[in-house]
Amino acid sequence: MDCCHQPGLLPLEQAKALLNENVKVITKTEMVGLDSALNRVLAADLISPLNIPPFDNSAMDGYALCVSHLPANQQLPLSEKVFAGDVNKHQLKSKHCVRIMTGAPLPCGADAVEMQENTSVDGSLITFKQPISIGNNIRKMGEDITQGQIVISANTLLNSSHIGLLASLGFDQIAVQTRLKVALMSTGDELIAPGNPLSHGQIYDSNRFAIKAMLERLPVEVLDFGLIPDQHSLIKQAFEQADQQADIVICSGGVSVGEADYTKLVLDELGEIGFWKVAMKPGKPFAFGQLKESYFIGLPGNPVSAYITFYKLALLVIAKASAWNYQAPPQISAQTTTALKKRPGRLDFQRGIVSTDAQGQLQVSPTGNQGSAIFSSLSQANCFIVLEQERGKVMAGEWVKIELFASPMI
């Protein structure tokens, strides 16, 4: 961890590289039911046991036929009906058509389906009003997924669409990584839990609730240690208990220079923690290292700083430790509608609202005051305006990079 103590500001990409280098996968594999698989990390490549669709079927309510058997007068007699869920194998009678419903298996010998809107019915005689092509309105067996295909790669965080796909393939049990146990706490005598009256000099503890809300969307089990007063014995006791119970300990507050000396003193006693000054705004102060049994992450005390530092750095620790192949959202270009304040020296994540103008061009506006204690700047935003480390003030109309907020985080 010696590199963590270098003077000056640590570029964000270097900080991310250090985390990746120092964090190891600590989860194991377990089997869970499909209804418990959401937001879990897949442990191995998932191979399809069957074709999807498993048989040729109709994409429309209409009539199945063999195109070459359609006479010049475009009329065929109706022989039978086939509904979705029919388990019988039907054979198309020569020079006849079959009434068929969406999803119903295609009769043997049929090579097209015409939608009912393009036909007319006279008793049992069906007239086809327009030319029909072979393969028309047929869902072919395996056109979506073929048997033996990798459908979801290992280390994927499973979302709702993955759950639907797994169900369509018949899986009721899958192998996933065990959930990390993450201990979460806030420190600071000025903090008080929501629901209590504020005294002069006090503020509500918002960081713990915001970080917990993000954690609950991740493959972790949250152990909420609550608020810890700035007392050496209480901080040490909380850290020791958290270290024994959790894989990762996250603490908000006490990582800025000159603040919360007890926190730093306790961390020096219990483990090897590096206090970093990351070249990002908001969120310069950050602590990372190891206690006896767990990784430790120290977030800034300012609400927006804590939130963004978690999103940009702590999330990477959780992803690596849980074997999750996390991919940061891509950055795209947009044109600013107003000037943006910026000093060279730190990578700046300003909070913005992206929209499209009358020509369909992306444009972005800041959400007002960008101070690190202004949580409304984050709650009103739908993207980050990412201003490069050495960039200065941005004039209205300039092009900037934006990063849309990524599900499942923000």
Side-chain angles (χ1 to χ4, degrees):
M1 293 290 185
D2 290 344
C3 54
C4 302
H5 299 279
Q6 294 176 356
L9 299 180
L10 188 67
L12 178 60
E13 290 304 314
Q14 187 176 344
K16 291 161 65 174
L18 286 170
L19 293 177
N20 185 64
E21 176 184 335
N22 285 282
V23 177
K24 307 301 179 185
V25 175
I26 56 179
T27 51
K28 299 178 181 178
T29 300
E30 66 176 352
M31 297 296 295
V32 299
L34 187 60
D35 57 357
S36 299
L38 183 65
N39 293 333
R40 300 297 296 270
V41 177
L42 192 62
D45 289 343
L46 201 72
I47 309 298
S48 175
L50 70 162
N51 294 304
I52 299 292
F55 49 83
D56 292 352
N57 69 89
S58 177
M60 296 284 179
D61 291 340
Y63 298 89
L65 69 153
C66 176
V67 174
S68 64
H69 290 178
L70 188 63
N73 65 1
Q74 297 288 100
Q75 292 182 336
L76 287 173
L78 183 67
S79 63
E80 60 179 325
K81 297 180 180 180
V82 182
F83 294 88
D86 193 327
V87 298
N88 297 309
K89 291 186 177 181
H90 294 266
Q91 177 69 47
L92 180 66
K93 189 176 180 180
S94 179
K95 296 184 180 180
H96 284 68
C97 66
V98 169
R99 178 72 166 130
I100 194 167
M101 305 303 172
T102 303
L106 193 71
C108 295
D111 57 15
V113 172
E114 181 62 301
M115 68 176 67
Q116 60 189 21
E117 291 84 355
N118 294 333
T119 65
S120 62
V121 180
D122 183 9
S124 62
L125 192 64
I126 310 302
T127 299
F128 297 87
K129 298 179 180 180
Q130 62 185 27
I132 303 170
S133 301
I134 293 175
N136 199 43
N137 296 321
I138 293 176
R139 300 169 180 154
K140 299 295 290 183
M141 180 178 69
E143 73 174 27
D144 180 12
I145 296 171
T146 57
Q147 186 176 14
Q149 174 186 340
I150 296 176
V151 289
I152 309 177
S153 298
N155 311 120
T156 297
L157 185 69
L158 298 173
N159 60 30
S160 57
S161 66
H162 294 132
I163 302 302
L165 177 58
L166 290 167
S168 74
L169 294 169
F171 287 97
D172 64 340
Q173 297 276 324
I174 57 169
V176 298
Q177 300 290 342
T178 54
R179 293 193 299 171
L180 294 171
K181 291 185 177 181
V182 177
L184 177 64
M185 66 188 75
S186 294
T187 62
D189 287 338
E190 78 282 11
L191 300 177
I192 188 171
N196 295 292
L198 288 175
S199 299
H200 179 69
Q202 292 182 321
I203 59 174
Y204 287 120
D205 175 23
S206 63
N207 292 2
R208 185 164 50 90
F209 288 87
I211 301 304
K212 184 178 180 181
M214 287 197 285
L215 285 169
E216 288 178 343
R217 295 186 175 189
L218 298 178
V220 304
E221 176 186 347
V222 181
L223 309 177
D224 191 345
F225 276 68
L227 281 169
I228 313 300
D230 283 329
Q231 297 180 30
H232 181 278
S233 61
L234 295 178
I235 293 174
K236 184 174 182 179
Q237 180 183 32
F239 282 6
E240 287 178 330
Q241 290 178 350
D243 182 40
Q244 293 170 4
Q245 298 178 32
D247 302 300
I248 298 174
V249 177
I250 299 178
C251 179
S252 171
V255 295
S256 296
V257 175
E259 297 180 2
D261 292 335
Y262 287 133
T263 299
K264 293 181 180 179
L265 179 60
V266 169
L267 290 173
D268 285 339
E269 294 173 2
L270 299 181
E272 297 181 8
I273 311 297
F275 290 86
W276 303 1
K277 296 179 182 179
V278 183
M280 62 182 287
K281 182 181 180 180
K284 179 173 69 173
F286 181 76
F288 171 74
Q290 284 192 294
L291 301 174
K292 292 180 180 179
E293 303 294 337
S294 63
Y295 292 116
F296 178 85
I297 296 170
L299 303 176
N302 280 321
V304 181
S305 298
Y307 199 90
I308 294 179
T309 306
F310 178 91
Y311 185 58
K312 288 295 175 182
L313 291 171
L315 176 59
L316 304 184
V317 177
I318 293 171
K320 181 68 180 293
S322 62
W324 170 23
N325 183 25
Y326 170 73
Q327 300 295 318
Q331 295 179 3
I332 55 179
S333 296
Q335 197 169 25
T336 58
T337 61
T338 62
L340 305 174
K341 294 181 180 180
K342 170 75 165 68
R343 291 181 182 178
R346 285 196 280 169
L347 180 64
D348 200 344
F349 293 96
Q350 298 196 16
R351 281 70 71 200
I353 300 174
V354 64
S355 59
T356 55
D357 60 19
Q359 290 71 44
Q361 178 64 58
L362 287 179
Q363 58 183 15
V364 66
S365 305
T367 55
N369 192 323
Q370 296 290 307
S372 60
I374 309 298
F375 212 95
S376 60
S377 71
L378 188 58
S379 64
Q380 296 167 7
N382 61 11
C383 71
F384 289 124
I385 305 171
V386 185
L387 303 179
E388 299 84 352
Q389 186 169 335
E390 296 308 319
R391 191 167 186 171
K393 181 179 179 181
V394 177
M395 303 302 295
E398 285 191 45
W399 289 90
V400 294
K401 294 293 185 182
I402 64 169
E403 183 181 306
L404 298 176
F405 290 164
S407 178
M409 294 308 304
I410 296 183

